[in-house]
Amino acid sequence: QVQLVQSGGGLVQPGGSLRLSCAASGSTLDYQFIGWFRQAPGKEREGVSCIRSSDGSTYYADSVKGRFTISRDNAKKTVYLQMNSLKTEDTAVYYCATEPTGQLTILSCSPYEYDAWGQGTQVTVSS
């Protein structure tokens, strides 16, 4: 009932920037919770940044605080992840996800709490 289409990503040098976008269509139940997650080789999927649309509250993983910024356009049902000062450790497949069923009532950035996922996009940070 909800579809997430991602764009952005690519290859960037350390210290560079990228912006990821995630557009939602279909039923999103107020588009309340949406987040960005990543999975690097040999690692489990982790929450990078999540946002609650109603009040704008956000979560950032410690590893990206001060470098990444999540934002959203509620009218367009689009969420963005601005990634600055990228490090090689940021290399991963990045996914956006939302919780469209209303089961999530507090801001969580655990990937296990999210049900609808984008297709993923590769971000590679390399010199």
Side-chain angles (χ1 to χ4, degrees):
Q1 296 186 25
V2 61
Q3 296 82 234
L4 301 178
V5 179
Q6 299 178 221
S7 62
L11 175 65
V12 66
Q13 292 184 331
S17 298
L18 286 172
R19 189 180 76 162
L20 307 181
S21 299
C22 177
S25 62
S27 178
T28 57
L29 195 64
D30 297 323
Y31 202 64
Q32 187 66 248
F33 300 98
I34 194 163
W36 290 97
F37 306 81
R38 67 186 181 188
Q39 188 164 13
K43 296 183 178 180
E44 294 190 12
R45 190 170 299 183
E46 64 175 342
V48 176
S49 183
C50 296
I51 189 167
R52 183 172 185 172
S53 297
S54 60
D55 61 9
S57 60
T58 57
Y59 162 89
Y60 294 95
D62 288 342
S63 59
V64 307
K65 286 181 179 177
R67 301 188 298 118
F68 291 10
T69 303
I70 191 170
S71 61
R72 83 283 189 228
D73 185 328
N74 288 342
K76 295 182 178 180
K77 293 188 175 182
T78 300
V79 67
Y80 307 92
L81 185 67
Q82 179 67 44
M83 303 183 292
N84 298 327
S85 301
L86 283 161
K87 304 175 180 179
T88 57
E89 302 97 288
D90 297 317
T91 296
V93 177
Y94 283 71
Y95 301 87
C96 64
T98 190
E99 207 306 290
T101 68
Q103 297 300 305
L104 191 60
T105 57
I106 60 173
L107 181 61
S108 171
C109 210
S110 168
Y112 300 103
E113 301 289 352
Y114 289 75
D115 298 317
W117 293 82
Q119 79 276 20
T121 186
Q122 178 71 43
V123 172
T124 301
V125 185
S126 177
S127 60

